[in-house]
Amino acid sequence: HWLKAHPELHEVKIITNDERIAYYAGLEDNSLTHTEQDYLGMEQRALQGEIELLVIRVSSELKSVIPTFASYELIEEISSEKNVVLVHRRHRKNAVRYAENTESAGLSQGVIFKESLLDRRS
């Protein structure tokens, strides 16, 4: 698995639309699952949760429906005959800007992440 082969990513938080991705990468303790097909909503949830990686698995036929994200850049694309997994990493400048915005709003980043974990599927 591509994520498992990159030790520098083993401690980051991820959001994915397929919980098996986090499981096989050994990252299930640092992951959220977003099962809706609202990928821009997934990006917003990732920003609120201070998530570093946004990982989407779709059929190869549906790859074109995945938007270009404003706050995440594509760093890896893993394709098979039927599916494609797109790994996006958060832009550093957006991480800093988001931290400043949450602090100015009087919000704790830890609290936001904790609330996001409540939505996590078992």
Side-chain angles (χ1 to χ4, degrees):
H1 194 276
W2 186 86
L3 286 171
K4 200 168 198 168
H6 288 80
E8 71 276 11
L9 300 176
H10 291 183
E11 298 299 319
V12 302
K13 299 172 192 166
I14 72 168
I15 188 166
T16 179
N17 66 332
D18 186 337
E19 63 192 11
R20 295 174 294 180
I21 290 172
Y23 174 77
Y24 289 123
L27 300 172
E28 60 269 21
D29 291 338
N30 289 332
S31 70
L32 296 174
T33 303
H34 183 90
T35 56
E36 300 169 31
Q37 291 184 351
D38 172 16
Y39 299 112
L40 293 177
M42 183 180 187
E43 178 185 30
Q44 288 306 307
R45 188 173 175 202
L47 288 169
Q48 291 171 352
E50 290 294 302
I51 306 293
E52 181 73 18
L53 294 179
L54 190 148
V55 185
I56 300 173
R57 178 182 176 268
V58 292
S59 72
S60 297
E61 298 169 352
L62 295 177
K63 179 185 168 197
S64 63
V65 305
I66 306 301
T68 299
F69 298 107
S71 300
Y72 289 80
E73 64 182 320
L74 183 66
I75 61 168
E76 187 65 30
E77 181 175 324
I78 303 119
S79 299
S80 68
E81 187 176 314
K82 294 182 181 181
N83 297 303
V84 63
V85 175
L86 304 167
V87 181
H88 299 82
R89 189 168 199 164
R90 190 174 186 166
H91 294 296
R92 292 285 103 216
K93 64 178 181 175
N94 291 316
V96 171
R97 186 171 64 232
Y98 181 77
E100 290 170 354
N101 289 343
T102 56
E103 288 172 11
S104 68
L107 301 173
S108 163
Q109 295 168 14
V111 170
I112 292 171
F113 181 68
K114 207 178 215 180
E115 291 171 355
S116 297
L117 284 176
L118 297 176
D119 297 328
R120 185 176 176 181
R121 289 183 3 177
S122 301

